[in-house]
Amino acid sequence: MKHVILGTAGHIDHGKTALVKALTGVDTDRLKEEKERGITIELGFTYLDLPSGIRLGIVDVPGHEKFVKHMVAGVWGIDLVALVIAADEGVMPQTKEHLDICKLLKVKKGLIVLTKIDLVDRELLELVKEEVTDIAENTFLKGAPILSVSSTTGEGFPQLISTLDLLAKEVEERSSDGLFRLPIDRVFVIKGFGTVVTGTMISGSLSLGETVEILPSGLEGKVRNLQVYNRPVEKAVAGQRTAVNLQGMEASAIERGDVLVRSQSLTATQLIDVHLDYLPHAPRPLRHRTKQRFHIGTNLTTASFFLLDREEFAPGEAGFVQLRLERPVVALPQDRFVIRGSGAVQTLGGGVVLDAHPGKHKRFFSSVIEDLTILKDGTGEQIIGLHILRSGMGGITLEGLLNRVAVSPHEVETILRKMIERGDILLVDSERLKVIDIHQYQRLKEMALDQLRLFHQRFAMKSGLAKEELRTKLPVELDVKLFQILLNELVQSKEMVLERDKIRLPDHQISSVDEKGLVKRVEEAISKGGLQPPSSKELSEEWSEEEEKVRSVLEHLVHEGVLIKIKSGMYFHRIHFENLREKLITYLKSNKEITTPRFKEITGASRKYAIPLIEYFDQIKLTLRLGERRVLRTAGQDLGSKTNHGPQVRESKD
Ligand SMILES: Nc1nc2c(ncn2[C@@H]2O[C@H](COP(=O)(O)OP(=O)(O)OP(=O)(O)O)[C@@H](O)[C@H]2O)c(=O)[nH]1
Ligand SMILES: [Mg+2]
């Protein structure tokens, strides 16, 4: 069954609620205060089954100027509007304001209903018709049907119903292939069931049992029951008036203006880029940084206007604005909004959301304006391309894109596949459909090569850079999968060489950078020092070399297994070290234990060397310290093995 939603609009007391009652038999004014004052305050909801079988959901709105905020919430997301005008009063202020609002919200279709015709003669009726034709000029209601009815006598209703049927048939059915969103217009508690929220489902679909989230609060819960027009259903789809019974959510934590979404599918925002139409009859120009009321969905907050392409909006002008919102809202591109004055409350303008998650912009910046022009007028592919480009070297997933474009998931996927095939973008992760702009990817490759070049320059004596270290040197937190793709490609194209887990440039050879023969000289100097070798500082001073360079040679020799690093800055030649080790083992085998002074005697070295050495033997678990003495820890094992201390030699950053 096709679902279409009709909203009423029009000045106070012009007979909107009476019209709905005459059509459906339902009095949507239920509140005590509404009954007492004879006016509508809150939105009213009911439905009508049309002759063609279409179910017409009806949202009845208040006409009172104080409740325009409810009216905006009610008509956001409707398919058709019935602009109601009492024949005995004609066009009044809220007739025009409601029409403005419908225009700004881009309501596509509707009809004009002249009510109370039982109170006027033919002549007056004709005059009102002329007046109505005038205000419909230049709006979506130009040429729309004008019906004359009396809700008291029932005159004109058969024609009204057949006209509604005709219009409803022309309404394009909404696709339910989109992100589920339900802007909440009512919250209440039903005894025995708990919290219920209602709203017009503007996109997507929702099924029983699904986990949902309230935005902006982030409260999560489950769908326990679902109703569409008072009937329980398993699944509700876009275009339906929907009531959702929520499990695990307190009604007091939810309010009108919140949005029900599928868990983790959308994020709220406080900064949005929009294209604004400032109404021709706005009373004064709109200045930079002024604050106005901002209506989106069923939500109302205050926005500060950051004008991007002009000093001010004169009435009738249109342009780009970045809005800073007082409270977070849920917004998607192509969503419509209305702004109303914050002092004298009247509708000033409205427009369309272009970017719901932008960065802060500078004013009068040509690239910002160019991008916003694409977001406003571009094709789906151009818009998606722009968002991918903007995601930079981090890339963006399908889910990320769905938060930024007003294109269905299916369409986004089709466009992405096309772009991948053409080579405009690169697929990073097929599971999440994560992509990166191809130029960004090329830049990333250049950066990786630059980093490696820089590393070789700084640490000429290091054979290469650890893979993981290269990843952290790149400018963004790189996706592991993307890094793997990048590395594979660079290795395959022979721009980099991967040896074990180290990467180097193909022309990087340690020998080629050692023009001064430092490697040999360092080895000789350390060897000559025996068990009292010179430090990197001493060597660098003696040779007038940069200490960094001497250190990198020392580290290189450790890596090659020529030297043993005992502690930071202290290196021994392997031959002397092994000699000492043999002596120590022999001594301990015959004496069982050794004291520090005795060990010092064996080494013939000063405390400066002897202490780090014996501690090193503890550390590699050759000896065990018992107070002032040390014993062999590995008694009974093959102590002659020379491989014992390999793993303890860690490459450190010093
Ligand atoms: N004679 C006559 N009276 C009508 C007709 N339609 C509505 N009325 C009366 O006009 C008054 C206002 O009607 P409502 O339907 O409450 O008007 P409304 O547009 O819903 O008003 P708000 O919701 O407050 O903006 C009521 O007293 C109705 O009985 C009609 O066709 N003929
Ligand atoms: Mg009413």
Side-chain angles (χ1 to χ4, degrees):
M1 192 199 302
K2 184 173 169 184
H3 286 87
V4 174
I5 296 183
L6 170 85
T8 60
H11 199 72
I12 183 163
D13 256 357
H14 276 203
K16 297 179 290 296
T17 306
L19 180 81
V20 171
K21 189 174 176 200
L23 273 172
T24 64
V26 176
D27 183 2
T28 52
D29 280 351
R30 295 150 296 123
L31 301 179
K32 192 164 157 253
E33 196 188 346
E34 290 180 321
K35 296 267 190 235
E36 278 169 11
R37 293 170 66 183
I39 61 166
T40 304
I41 298 170
E42 277 296 342
L43 299 173
F45 303 100
T46 183
Y47 66 90
L48 173 69
D49 284 330
L50 293 168
S52 63
I54 295 174
R55 183 159 283 184
L56 187 69
I58 299 175
V59 182
D60 182 42
V61 309
H64 196 298
E65 64 174 323
K66 260 176 115 178
F67 306 128
V68 176
K69 63 175 184 193
H70 298 172
M71 181 272 173
V72 180
V75 296
W76 207 85
I78 61 172
D79 303 297
L80 291 173
V81 68
L83 184 64
V84 173
I85 300 163
D88 61 338
E89 270 198 345
V91 172
M92 295 293 280
Q94 268 63 54
T95 317
K96 290 186 190 159
E97 187 171 19
H98 284 194
L99 180 58
D100 276 340
I101 290 169
C102 291
K103 228 165 95 178
L104 292 167
L105 293 179
K106 282 270 184 307
V107 174
K108 289 199 190 80
K109 266 181 191 303
L111 73 170
I112 295 165
V113 186
L114 303 180
T115 55
K116 309 194 186 182
I117 56 165
D118 54 298
L119 299 180
V120 297
D121 55 25
R122 289 234 150 259
E123 227 171 292
L124 191 57
L125 189 61
E126 286 314 311
L127 273 176
V128 174
K129 274 188 188 166
E130 268 173 42
E131 198 186 11
V132 162
T133 313
D134 261 10
I135 63 156
E137 191 70 29
N138 297 325
T139 77
F140 65 100
L141 285 182
K142 185 179 168 154
I146 302 177
L147 280 291
S148 307
V149 303
S150 165
S151 303
T152 313
T153 66
E155 191 185 341
F157 274 79
Q159 295 94 306
L160 175 61
I161 290 171
S162 56
T163 307
L164 286 172
D165 205 12
L166 214 73
L167 286 171
K169 275 192 246 171
E170 289 170 11
V171 169
E172 214 177 296
E173 198 156 5
R174 282 171 211 239
S175 143
S176 51
D177 169 34
L179 285 181
F180 158 67
R181 264 200 299 169
L182 187 84
I184 294 169
D185 46 39
R186 277 189 305 169
V187 188
F188 48 88
V189 176
I190 296 182
K191 253 195 156 172
F193 284 95
T195 305
V196 175
V197 298
T198 71
T200 301
M201 196 184 294
I202 55 164
S203 62
S205 64
L206 182 68
S207 300
L208 281 180
E210 284 200 74
T211 307
V212 285
E213 184 179 354
I214 299 276
L215 288 179
S217 69
L219 263 172
E220 287 203 342
K222 271 213 159 112
V223 178
R224 179 158 44 189
N225 287 296
L226 261 182
Q227 286 199 351
V228 172
Y229 301 114
N230 311 325
R231 289 256 176 79
V233 292
E234 301 238 315
K235 184 179 178 183
V237 299
Q240 293 180 330
R241 284 287 316 165
T242 312
V244 189
N245 175 207
L246 296 164
Q247 192 171 12
M249 286 191 195
E250 287 293 326
S252 59
I254 308 171
E255 56 185 3
R256 163 184 295 165
D258 288 348
V259 182
L260 189 69
V261 300
R262 191 162 283 121
S263 206
Q264 310 285 321
S265 64
L266 277 170
T267 45
T269 175
Q270 263 180 292
L271 190 68
I272 55 178
D273 290 346
V274 303
H275 186 259
L276 172 73
D277 285 315
Y278 198 54
L279 285 176
H281 47 268
R284 69 197 88 81
L286 179 80
R287 301 223 156 79
H288 180 55
R289 282 189 187 283
T290 47
K291 287 187 176 175
Q292 311 291 356
R293 285 162 202 247
F294 174 78
H295 298 254
I296 190 164
T298 54
N299 203 342
L300 166 62
T301 182
T302 302
S304 177
F305 282 65
F306 207 77
L307 311 190
L308 296 174
D309 60 357
R310 65 200 62 226
E311 284 304 339
E312 63 173 35
F313 278 82
E317 285 189 343
F320 296 115
V321 185
Q322 182 158 69
L323 298 179
R324 297 175 184 178
L325 307 175
E326 218 162 74
R327 283 182 302 133
V329 303
V330 173
L332 278 177
Q334 300 307 320
D335 279 357
R336 307 293 309 187
F337 65 89
V338 166
I339 59 164
R340 303 188 75 234
S342 52
V345 186
Q346 71 182 107
T347 300
L348 298 176
V352 62
V353 174
L354 299 176
D355 191 345
H357 298 279
K360 281 193 177 172
H361 296 314
K362 285 198 180 120
R363 301 179 70 201
F364 303 108
F365 220 63
S366 61
S367 69
V368 169
I369 307 300
E370 278 161 27
D371 283 2
L372 288 172
T373 308
I374 292 180
L375 296 181
K376 177 172 165 277
D377 302 322
T379 61
E381 188 174 324
Q382 285 169 326
I383 292 171
I384 287 172
L386 181 62
H387 283 296
I388 296 173
L389 188 69
R390 278 183 173 183
S391 71
M393 290 181 251
I396 191 165
T397 58
L398 174 66
E399 198 186 303
L401 279 170
L402 291 177
N403 258 275
R404 286 176 178 77
V405 297
V407 181
S408 76
H410 178 73
E411 257 175 278
V412 175
E413 261 195 76
T414 312
I415 290 173
L416 287 184
R417 303 253 175 246
K418 210 161 91 188
M419 293 175 82
I420 292 167
E421 225 163 81
R422 263 209 318 263
D424 295 345
I425 58 174
L426 181 86
L427 181 65
V428 175
D429 183 343
S430 51
E431 237 166 81
R432 293 186 300 155
L433 217 65
K434 183 174 185 170
V435 296
I436 175 175
D437 177 82
I438 203 73
H439 298 105
Q440 298 286 343
Y441 175 67
Q442 303 295 3
R443 258 185 73 203
L444 206 54
K445 262 164 90 175
E446 292 302 323
M447 281 181 165
L449 286 165
D450 283 349
Q451 282 300 330
L452 196 53
R453 209 164 292 132
L454 223 74
F455 178 80
H456 285 326
Q457 267 165 25
R458 272 198 72 196
F459 304 101
M461 288 303 143
K462 288 203 174 171
S463 57
L465 177 60
K467 260 180 5 184
E468 199 41 41
E469 217 169 313
L470 176 60
R471 190 165 83 93
T472 59
K473 280 180 193 295
L474 292 172
V476 282
E477 183 59 42
L478 255 208
D479 190 286
V480 181
K481 286 191 176 165
L482 176 57
F483 183 65
Q484 203 50 52
I485 293 173
L486 184 93
L487 210 59
N488 285 349
E489 207 176 294
L490 285 166
V491 168
Q492 239 165 42
S493 64
K494 300 205 160 51
E495 286 165 276
M496 285 186 184
V497 177
L498 180 66
E499 277 164 351
R500 265 162 289 155
D501 64 338
K502 294 236 167 107
I503 323 162
R504 63 172 172 86
L505 290 174
D507 58 359
H508 175 72
Q509 294 287 325
I510 291 165
S511 58
S512 71
V513 286
D514 186 23
E515 0 29 68
K516 294 185 185 162
L518 264 187
V519 175
K520 194 153 173 272
R521 280 158 65 201
V522 168
E523 186 190 338
E524 277 170 8
I526 296 287
S527 172
K528 211 169 125 211
L531 289 177
Q532 302 197 79
S535 68
S536 56
K537 191 158 180 272
E538 285 160 346
L539 288 176
S540 69
E541 275 166 11
E542 192 187 328
W543 297 337
S544 312
E545 282 289 348
E546 276 171 47
E547 194 184 345
E548 187 70 60
K549 194 152 190 189
V550 175
R551 257 177 214 245
S552 68
V553 174
L554 285 161
E555 286 297 335
H556 164 67
L557 287 168
V558 170
H559 187 78
E560 299 290 300
V562 178
L563 302 184
I564 308 282
K565 184 179 188 175
I566 296 301
K567 67 169 203 175
S568 167
M570 191 177 280
Y571 303 82
F572 289 80
H573 200 281
R574 180 178 283 275
I575 292 173
H576 299 303
F577 179 83
E578 293 295 347
N579 249 330
L580 176 64
R581 193 169 159 276
E582 294 301 323
K583 270 193 207 165
L584 180 61
I585 291 169
T586 313
Y587 182 91
L588 283 171
K589 274 189 173 166
S590 49
N591 296 286
K592 294 279 178 282
E593 58 178 51
I594 191 166
T595 61
T596 311
R598 186 78 195 93
F599 177 73
K600 190 168 158 276
E601 261 174 56
I602 291 178
T603 61
S606 69
R607 281 184 70 82
K608 179 180 153 194
Y609 298 97
I611 302 295
L613 274 168
I614 189 70
E615 281 173 356
Y616 184 75
F617 285 124
D618 291 341
Q619 196 194 320
I620 63 171
K621 298 194 166 54
L622 181 79
T623 50
L624 176 68
R625 184 172 179 176
L626 301 166
E628 285 308 296
R629 299 158 299 123
R630 281 176 168 86
V631 295
L632 261 186
R633 187 195 275 265
T634 40
Q637 283 185 14
D638 174 15
L639 298 170
S641 159
K642 290 182 182 179
T643 56
N644 225 359
H645 47 77
Q648 269 73 22
V649 185
R650 272 178 286 119
E651 243 187 85
S652 66
K653 291 221 164 74
D654 50 38

